[in-house]
Amino acid sequence: MPPELPSKLPRVGTTIFTVMSKLAAECGAINLSQGFPDYSGPKELIDAVARHMRDGDNQYAPMAGVLPLREAIAEKVAMLYGASYDADREITITAGATQAIFSAIACMVRPGDEVIVFEPDYDSYVPGILLNGGTPIAARLSFPGYRPNWGEVRRLITPRTRMIMINSPHNPTGSVWDEADLRQLEHLVRDTNIVVVSDEVYEHMVYDGMRHESLARYPALAERSFIVSSFGKTYHVTGWKIAYCLAPRELTAEFRKAHQFITFCINTPCQLGIADFMRVRPDWYGELTSFYEQKRDFFRAALAASRFELLPCCGTYFQSVRYHAISNEPDRQLAERLTRETGVASIPVSVFYADGEDNKVLRFCFAKHEDTLKRAAERLSKL
Ligand code: PMP
Ligand code: GLN
């Protein structure tokens, strides 16, 4: 008799990013679903990584990450956010933001602990909480503005609340939190034992002159926070799966206890190559913001005459649209049909709600060449 295998994640299927990218490939559709660029990282960066490989930097890195990279990150965070993180004891290199987020949950959340997430939420958060025995508690971002309701968050906090997970700029909606939001959060967690995971992977993609409110700017929040960023987004190299986690030393000590047995360390040549690149290109971040702001404007202009209603996009490389003038199908059904029949793949936003709330919104990734965006918009404008 085969063993009985009650699933630890009975309600979880295959991630929507895999589902939609696979369907896009099968249909030969333009893939604006899973978030990744159709261009590569900068040549100097790729050359630097290749040079380190050729030079023989191919063995295990230190568990926390190579020191030159941690030092470069400390300098970056000081330059951008005026925050001081100790490269030795407060910065850890991880296998993508996904692993950083999972490790932060794994080292903090015990069975019975509650973790507040904001729906729609990035799809790795809830499975990470459940695998560690925690209970996800969903706060809703308003619709269609996708703003937090701080009164609701206050009501959801209980003595069992161990963690709050936040994400600005926000995937999938492109909304961005401002200083007032951070002050509200600061107020709510003051004098509690709640820790915060701040997913800031889109930190350099904030538009229209707004600034990214990293938690690193707020000492009363930073002292209880794991702040996560991803080089995959920042350098157009999502396939390298390399990221970092900033946290005060007591939190980092716990984080590394988990990290060392989840992955131990991250590939050496990429770490060294990124460290070299960060040193020579401190101007990269500002250029990246303009680069993506132009893409956002281009894509929005290309869709302006379509029957989609464009929701605001203040950050990230995602544009969300309402489609009520085109169809009343459920969003997942429409996303699949558009992939097959119109040749453009997108992400249905209902998958980011535990109860499948369907506001009839699709998400398109605009991290693509203008030509790709133009072709996709032409197809979408025929609907
Ligand atoms: N968080 C958010 C909000 C993301 O959009 C992504 C990836 N797109 C991740 C985390 C994971 O990043 P990584 O690929 O570095 O694991
Ligand atoms: N974060 C990317 C997105 O939102 C996808 C990452 C993944 O495929 N897991 O599209």
Side-chain angles (χ1 to χ4, degrees):
M1 274 264 284
E4 273 184 37
L5 298 173
S7 175
K8 291 183 78 176
L9 297 174
R11 296 183 56 218
V12 172
T14 302
T15 165
I16 193 70
F17 305 120
T18 298
V19 171
M20 292 309 299
S21 276
K22 182 162 175 279
L23 186 64
E26 282 165 9
C27 300
I30 300 173
N31 188 1
L32 305 190
S33 65
Q34 188 181 21
F36 62 88
D38 67 352
Y39 34 87
S40 193
K43 183 174 177 309
E44 307 96 286
L45 172 61
I46 289 164
D47 287 347
V49 172
R51 190 174 61 246
H52 283 290
M53 266 191 200
R54 279 196 299 271
D55 287 352
D57 295 319
N58 296 308
Q59 307 310 328
Y60 291 129
M63 181 269 277
V66 304
L67 194 57
L69 181 56
R70 287 184 280 138
E71 286 171 346
I73 293 166
E75 277 170 33
K76 165 191 155 173
V77 177
M79 172 181 85
L80 293 180
Y81 307 127
S84 167
Y85 280 87
D86 178 49
D88 200 27
R89 295 202 278 181
E90 299 182 319
I91 300 175
T92 309
I93 311 304
T94 60
T98 311
Q99 186 238 313
I101 292 163
F102 188 87
S103 301
I105 299 169
C107 75
M108 286 288 129
V109 173
R110 293 178 169 81
D113 285 349
E114 294 178 354
V115 180
I116 295 179
V117 296
F118 290 83
E119 287 188 331
D121 52 359
Y122 184 64
D123 76 342
S124 81
Y125 301 168
V126 165
I129 297 164
L130 293 173
L131 286 172
N132 287 289
T135 305
I137 304 289
R140 281 281 161 103
L141 298 174
S142 64
F143 180 76
Y146 296 111
R147 304 288 312 150
N149 175 339
W150 291 108
E152 183 194 13
V153 181
R154 180 194 305 277
R155 288 192 294 279
L156 293 176
I157 291 178
T158 76
R160 287 192 299 276
T161 307
R162 166 82 282 192
M163 177 181 279
I164 299 181
M165 301 183 70
I166 68 171
N167 169 220
S168 174
H170 184 249
N171 181 9
T173 69
S175 63
V176 169
W177 286 12
D178 60 18
E179 180 176 348
D181 292 314
L182 280 284
R183 294 289 175 209
Q184 292 275 2
L185 180 64
E186 196 176 87
H187 181 67
L188 287 185
V189 296
R190 184 179 299 150
D191 301 326
T192 71
N193 289 320
I194 297 171
V195 297
V196 177
V197 169
S198 184
D199 178 345
E200 302 186 12
V201 300
Y202 300 102
E203 64 179 319
H204 307 299
M205 298 167 207
V206 176
Y207 312 129
D208 305 318
M210 275 180 88
R211 75 172 198 179
H212 170 57
E213 296 298 343
S214 176
L215 263 58
R217 294 183 192 277
Y218 297 83
L221 286 169
E223 69 176 15
R224 58 176 75 239
S225 298
F226 299 91
I227 300 174
V228 177
S229 184
S230 174
F231 295 113
K233 316 286 169 198
T234 301
Y235 295 128
H236 315 315
V237 289
T238 60
W240 289 6
K241 293 297 290 187
I242 178 163
Y244 62 86
C245 178
L246 311 173
R249 61 193 54 177
E250 298 75 15
L251 289 182
T252 292
E254 292 305 312
F255 182 91
R256 289 181 185 171
K257 287 182 193 176
H259 167 78
Q260 66 185 338
F261 297 120
I262 292 174
T263 180
F264 182 63
C265 70
I266 311 311
N267 83 78
T268 308
C270 283
Q271 292 195 57
L272 291 168
I274 292 172
D276 292 348
F277 188 78
M278 285 177 82
R279 291 230 181 277
V280 294
R281 292 297 304 277
D283 53 332
W284 177 265
Y285 313 112
E287 284 175 24
L288 190 74
T289 306
S290 325
F291 175 81
Y292 276 119
E293 186 159 342
Q294 270 170 36
K295 290 209 179 290
R296 177 201 64 170
D297 293 345
F298 181 88
F299 188 53
R300 286 178 71 91
L303 282 180
S306 77
R307 294 200 293 158
F308 288 103
E309 180 194 331
L310 303 179
L311 292 173
C313 169
C314 306
T316 73
Y317 48 44
F318 302 115
Q319 173 65 54
S320 294
V321 303
R322 297 175 78 176
Y323 58 80
H324 47 88
I326 295 172
S327 162
N328 58 15
E329 285 162 273
D331 64 354
R332 197 161 175 153
Q333 186 180 320
L334 181 66
E336 290 180 3
R337 191 166 68 78
L338 293 187
T339 308
R340 291 181 210 283
E341 296 176 9
T342 309
V344 181
S346 59
I347 295 289
V349 169
S350 67
V351 302
F352 303 108
Y353 292 89
D355 66 0
E357 169 155 325
D358 184 358
N359 292 311
K360 311 274 163 91
V361 175
L362 299 178
R363 185 200 83 174
F364 294 104
C365 172
F366 57 78
K368 307 290 170 189
H369 288 294
E370 286 192 354
D371 175 57
T372 312
L373 296 175
K374 185 160 169 279
R375 284 189 298 119
E378 276 164 10
R379 293 179 187 185
L380 294 169
S381 297
K382 292 201 181 107
L383 293 163

